[in-house]
Amino acid sequence: HLELFDTLEKVNKLFGLGHVFPSLHSVFVTTPYDGGSLFEDFFRNLARSCPQVRKIGLSRRKFPGIDLPAGHEVQIDHHVLQNLCRIKGLEEFFLDHAWPVFISDEALVALISRFPRLRTLHLNPNPIYGVLPSTTFKVLGMISECCPWVENLALYLTPGDDGVHLKTTAPTEVLRN
């Protein structure tokens, strides 16, 4: 287990040095809202340096003396999250960030479908800025039907244009938790 508390730029440098941690199964990083979004490099370097990683936590927090950016310049969307696919065997993923994750229902289900061992997904359920996300309540039924292996789920959702209508034919294990 490894916990780091530094800028994402420095964490990327650490994992980009070519060191390999073959037995490391969990990595949790707390980083400030620094200027750039370096998530793609983070996932790529982590996959290369920690081939057995199963649990990832990424938390971007407000540090003293560092102001929160006012815009969406450190936005996380489906393009950024696609880089998670480099992490084979992912079982748990936790993300805390200032803004909602911008990913459609279909893209989120497609992403989760690529991780048959994923049991826990906490995808920024409590953003600091309450901007409406693109993920709707419909995704719960979709995940329940297409990805029944997911046991713990925390998302920031919007009712969407049609309101809340959940339809599922499979047992709602995801919804029960």
Side-chain angles (χ1 to χ4, degrees):
H1 176 77
L2 177 64
E3 291 189 37
L4 299 170
F5 188 80
D6 210 332
T7 66
L8 200 52
E9 182 178 3
K10 289 181 182 176
V11 171
N12 278 338
K13 285 181 182 177
L14 169 70
F15 287 120
L17 290 174
H19 300 300
V20 177
F21 306 94
S23 299
L24 195 60
H25 287 238
S26 63
V27 175
F28 288 82
V29 178
T30 300
T31 181
Y33 291 99
D34 44 10
S37 169
L38 304 166
F39 291 106
E40 293 178 37
D41 290 339
F42 172 72
F43 294 132
R44 181 178 53 250
N45 291 337
L46 186 64
R48 185 175 47 241
S49 296
C50 306
Q52 297 299 318
V53 70
R54 301 289 179 252
K55 300 176 186 180
I56 301 171
L58 185 56
S59 177
R60 295 181 66 108
R61 297 282 184 216
K62 171 79 173 87
F63 284 50
I66 299 176
D67 293 330
L68 285 174
H72 288 36
E73 63 263 20
V74 285
Q75 176 174 309
I76 299 175
D77 59 18
H78 69 281
H79 296 292
V80 172
L81 291 175
Q82 285 300 324
N83 289 284
L84 269 175
C85 294
R86 299 172 184 271
I87 312 291
K88 306 297 180 201
L90 187 64
E91 296 173 2
E92 297 182 22
F93 181 68
F94 301 89
L95 175 69
D96 291 310
H97 190 59
W99 294 275
V101 172
F102 295 98
I103 186 168
S104 70
D105 296 342
E106 294 78 13
L108 181 57
V109 171
L111 179 70
I112 295 171
S113 296
R114 297 186 69 182
F115 298 101
R117 296 179 63 183
L118 186 70
R119 299 296 178 259
T120 299
L121 177 65
H122 287 235
L123 198 56
N124 203 33
N126 300 302
I128 294 172
Y129 296 114
V131 179
L132 286 179
S134 49
T135 314
T136 71
F137 281 96
K138 291 183 205 175
V139 79
L140 296 174
M142 295 166 69
I143 292 170
S144 178
E145 286 186 27
C146 299
C147 312
W149 56 85
V150 177
E151 297 171 356
N152 299 296
L153 188 62
L155 304 169
Y156 181 62
L157 304 171
T158 183
D161 296 334
D162 301 331
V164 179
H165 302 284
L166 298 177
K167 294 181 182 177
T168 180
T169 56
T172 54
E173 286 293 316
V174 170
L175 303 179
R176 186 181 57 151
N177 294 329

